[in-house]
Amino acid sequence: MNIFRFAGDMTHLISILVLLLKIYATKSCSGISLKTQELYALVFLTRYLDLFTDFISVYNTVMKLVFIASSLAIVWCMRMHRAVRRTYDKELDTFRHYFLIAACFVLSLILNEKFTFQEIFWAFSIYLEAVAILPQLVLLQRSGNVDNLTGQYVFFLGAYRAFYILNWIYRYITEPHFSRWIACVSGIVQTALYADFFYYYFI
């Protein structure tokens, strides 16, 4: 664990807390893409399959459980909560995210670090996370309106990616056998998508 990894984890957690605050405080999910949230839930469920096989630390296990539980809670609220689901912008959230899932799964079968069940799904989760924000960005572009909490949510997600890139650079310098090239390349792609958002909405 280094400071960049910890900062990345914390900003990721803050982004989720901001989104939960928006939903529970306002009883609204307006401006939030359900499809992006479903993609993130799938990312965490497939990435953390090692919860059943490997124990790294209490911190690691707790963070994995928090990300899984919070992503599922957000999806549940947007789909099932009586008040929240009525505010969902279904007409604007039309990105065909199933194509992203299919493309990322095929890519994970071709490009992976080891052809095993767990490693394939780890690679799948990395590829999917890189593009999971696309339905959200498309929704915001179509609505033409970004409220403060939604903007903060996307900002903290972008900050999380930036800190993780610094984490990979730090590990590449300090660890002789660090070779997470799939995560590094996917992270750069994801950060580029956030940079585009920041350019159009904050500059």
Side-chain angles (χ1 to χ4, degrees):
M1 176 70 70
N2 60 68
I3 187 61
F4 302 116
R5 165 72 184 274
F6 181 74
D9 286 345
M10 291 303 102
T11 50
H12 195 182
L13 184 60
I14 290 171
S15 73
I16 294 173
L17 292 177
V18 166
L19 185 54
L20 286 170
L21 173 65
K22 170 185 170 65
I23 292 173
Y24 281 101
T26 66
K27 295 295 185 292
S28 170
C29 62
S30 178
I32 300 299
S33 168
L34 172 60
K35 295 183 177 183
T36 282
Q37 298 310 313
E38 289 175 339
L39 292 178
Y40 276 124
L42 186 57
V43 164
F44 298 134
L45 287 170
T46 53
R47 179 173 303 168
Y48 300 142
L49 292 173
D50 61 352
L51 273 172
F52 304 103
T53 57
D54 302 313
F55 176 80
I56 299 173
S57 67
V58 173
Y59 170 84
N60 185 272
T61 299
V62 168
M63 291 300 286
K64 289 176 179 179
L65 291 172
V66 166
F67 287 134
I68 291 172
S70 58
S71 63
L72 292 176
I74 291 168
V75 171
W76 181 88
C77 280
M78 293 184 70
R79 282 191 170 275
M80 306 299 294
H81 192 282
R82 185 179 303 175
V84 174
R85 68 181 182 183
R86 288 201 295 265
T87 65
Y88 170 49
D89 302 317
K90 187 175 181 179
E91 296 77 13
L92 298 177
D93 194 20
T94 57
F95 194 99
R96 296 182 179 179
H97 63 327
Y98 296 111
F99 289 116
L100 293 179
I101 295 171
C104 290
F105 185 70
V106 170
L107 188 60
S108 69
L109 293 174
I110 299 170
L111 296 176
N112 54 72
E113 295 186 357
K114 188 185 296 183
F115 197 77
T116 64
F117 179 84
Q118 192 164 300
E119 285 296 319
I120 287 171
F121 276 100
W122 177 84
F124 167 75
S125 74
I126 296 295
Y127 296 138
L128 189 61
E129 185 181 17
V131 295
I133 196 65
L134 281 174
Q136 179 66 62
L137 297 182
V138 170
L139 187 152
L140 292 177
Q141 185 181 45
R142 289 177 177 172
S143 68
N145 179 42
V146 183
D147 64 64
N148 287 335
L149 288 176
T150 303
Q152 289 172 15
Y153 163 67
V154 178
F155 172 80
F156 281 116
L157 275 179
Y160 142 67
R161 277 290 95 187
F163 279 123
Y164 257 68
I165 288 178
L166 293 175
N167 164 60
W168 295 324
I169 294 172
Y170 176 83
R171 292 184 64 186
Y172 180 79
I173 295 172
T174 59
E175 298 178 19
H177 302 294
F178 178 72
S179 62
R180 286 291 192 178
W181 63 271
I182 290 177
C184 293
V185 173
S186 299
I188 291 171
V189 170
Q190 186 176 3
T191 304
L193 292 176
Y194 286 111
D196 180 71
F197 170 81
F198 296 148
Y199 178 81
Y200 282 106
Y201 290 96
F202 290 102
I203 296 179

